[in-house]
């Protein structure tokens, strides 16, 4: 009886030992396999993108505000204003070679990651010749997607107009966009026969810029002359201050970020 009991216990211990060994082996094998898989994935990613042909080299952002008078009777004692804060963006792309150019360009996946607590936001294509002005090109909103017409002409004679979304194949022109936050649709302001059209106008509505802070991002897609697709996700914070300057005091904010070298990644 005792001998059978010892045999049973010994058998049980062997089974447990084998089970532990199997579990340990499986854990080590699975972990090692995951590491190898991850290394292969990183290697594949690197090999796929080490010869990237495009990058974002510079971004210029200009922020101001404007009050559109809705009262056509100037003899009245008050303005009736639609006041909006706007930021114009110019995004410069750089090809890595003179033999590479763009055949197709479009934007999508627009996402407002931080919405202002005051106002209604919208995005539009910006006429490059009207960059830094209050002009809104409402015919070309950027909502779900925005496609640009890619042209081969360098427009050296300034024949081509910028009133539709266009982009030059050699990246000699930037992608231009306008962000608009309509902070008030009907604001009554005493008519002094002089209206300062810049960010100081916002002092009539807000005490600080925290209520109009906003962040957003979107994806730039492009197709090169070898039919290779690339994409890059760009993120922006609406510049309402720069160094010690503030839009409520200075009226306008200009922010330039150059030497960015943000690479586009190959798709497929």
């Amino acid at each position: 009886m005792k001998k059978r009991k010892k045999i049973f216990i010994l058998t049980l211990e062997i089974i447990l030992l084998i089970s532990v060994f199997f579990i340990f082996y499986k854990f080590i094998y699975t972990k090692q396999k995951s590491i190898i898989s991850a290394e292969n994935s990183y290697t594949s990613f690197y090999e796929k993108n080490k010869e990237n042909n495009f990058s974002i080299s510079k971004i210029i952002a200009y922020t101001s505000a404007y009050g559109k008078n809705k009262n056509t009777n100037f003899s009245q004692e008050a303005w009736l204003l639609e006041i909006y804060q706007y930021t114009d963006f110019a995004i410069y792309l750089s090809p890595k070679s003179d033999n590479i150019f763009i055949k197709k360009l479009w934007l999508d996946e627009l996402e407002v990651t931080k919405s202002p607590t005051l106002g209604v936001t919208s995005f539009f294509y910006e006429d490059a010749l009207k960059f830094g002005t209050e002009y809104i090109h409402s015919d070309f909103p950027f909502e779900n997607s925005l496609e640009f017409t890619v042209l081969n002409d360098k427009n050296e004679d300034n024949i081509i107009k910028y009133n539709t979304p266009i982009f030059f194949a050699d990246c000699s022109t930037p992608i231009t966009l306008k962000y608009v936050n309509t902070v008030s649709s009907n604001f009554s302001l005493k008519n002094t026969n002089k209206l300062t059209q810049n960010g100081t106008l916002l002092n009539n509505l807000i005490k600080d810029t925290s209520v109009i802070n906003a962040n957003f991002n979107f994806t730039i897609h492009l197709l090169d002359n070898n039919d290779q697709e690339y994409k890059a996700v760009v993120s922006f914070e609406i510049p309402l201050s720069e160094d010690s300057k503030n839009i409520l005091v200075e009226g306008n904010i200009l922010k330039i970020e150059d030497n960015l070298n943000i690479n586009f990644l190959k798709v497929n």
Side-chain angles (χ1 to χ4, degrees):
M1 186 71 177
K2 290 182 178 180
K3 187 177 180 180
R4 293 177 63 184
K5 185 175 182 180
K6 286 182 179 180
I7 294 172
F8 175 76
I9 293 173
L10 181 60
T11 304
L12 184 61
E13 288 176 347
I14 292 172
I15 292 173
L16 288 173
L17 184 61
I18 293 173
S19 298
V20 170
F21 176 78
F22 177 76
I23 293 170
F24 180 74
Y25 172 79
K26 188 175 181 181
F27 172 77
I28 295 297
Y29 174 78
T30 303
K31 186 175 182 180
Q32 186 65 25
K33 187 177 180 181
S34 297
I35 293 171
I36 293 171
S37 177
E39 288 176 347
N40 290 338
S41 177
Y42 294 144
T43 301
S44 174
F45 179 84
Y46 173 75
E47 291 296 328
K48 187 178 180 181
N49 294 286
K50 68 179 182 179
E51 296 181 355
N52 195 294
N53 287 326
F54 297 93
S55 65
I56 298 173
S57 57
K58 180 169 65 173
I59 297 175
I60 299 175
Y62 176 82
T63 297
S64 190
Y66 185 78
K68 180 180 178 181
N69 183 31
K70 301 171 71 174
N71 186 353
T72 56
N73 187 352
F74 290 94
S75 64
Q76 294 189 15
E77 296 182 354
W79 303 99
L80 186 61
L81 301 175
E82 177 182 283
I83 300 177
Y84 56 91
Q85 177 265 309
Y86 66 89
T87 301
D88 291 349
F89 291 94
I91 306 165
Y92 291 81
L93 308 188
S94 294
K96 299 293 179 69
S97 168
D98 292 337
N99 298 321
I100 299 295
F101 59 87
I102 294 177
K103 289 176 58 177
K104 188 175 181 180
L105 176 71
W106 71 100
L107 315 180
D108 63 13
E109 298 179 335
L110 175 64
E111 178 186 15
V112 179
T113 54
K114 181 181 179 182
S115 299
T117 56
L118 177 66
V120 179
T121 62
S122 50
F123 298 81
F124 302 91
Y125 163 74
E126 170 73 324
D127 185 330
L129 298 180
K130 296 183 178 180
F131 187 90
T133 72
E134 74 280 0
Y135 180 78
I136 299 176
H137 210 329
S138 57
D139 289 340
F140 298 98
F142 177 21
E143 295 172 340
N144 299 319
S145 63
L146 179 64
E147 185 165 350
F148 288 71
T149 300
V150 178
L151 305 173
N152 291 321
D153 194 316
K154 292 185 177 181
N155 201 29
E156 293 176 349
D157 298 325
N158 295 317
I159 297 174
I160 300 171
K161 304 302 180 183
Y162 295 86
N163 56 350
T164 62
I166 63 170
F167 187 83
F168 292 103
D170 63 351
C171 301
S172 57
T173 54
I175 298 170
T176 47
L177 300 170
K178 181 182 285 287
Y179 162 87
V180 178
N181 179 12
T182 305
V183 291
S184 179
S185 297
N186 293 284
F187 183 78
S188 181
L189 184 66
K190 186 176 180 180
N191 187 350
T192 60
N193 294 320
K194 184 179 180 181
L195 194 62
T196 303
Q197 295 285 14
N198 60 32
T200 59
L201 186 64
L202 298 171
N203 285 304
N204 296 287
L205 296 166
I206 60 178
K207 295 181 179 180
D208 59 68
T209 59
S210 61
V211 294
I212 57 172
N213 286 341
N215 296 355
F216 67 96
N217 57 51
F218 59 86
T219 302
I220 303 174
H221 297 263
L222 60 87
L223 197 68
D224 71 8
N225 52 307
N226 296 315
D227 290 325
Q228 172 63 57
E229 183 181 344
Y230 294 86
K231 70 176 182 178
V233 177
V234 287
S235 300
F236 295 102
E237 178 180 359
I238 299 301
L240 302 171
S241 60
E242 178 71 4
D243 298 328
S244 59
K245 298 180 180 179
N246 185 290
I247 187 176
L248 300 180
V249 178
E250 307 295 332
N252 308 301
I253 296 294
L254 177 64
K255 186 174 183 178
I256 301 175
E257 297 184 67
D258 49 14
N259 300 316
L260 291 176
N261 197 30
I262 301 173
N263 285 330
F264 280 75
L265 303 181
K266 289 182 179 179
V267 178
N268 300 330

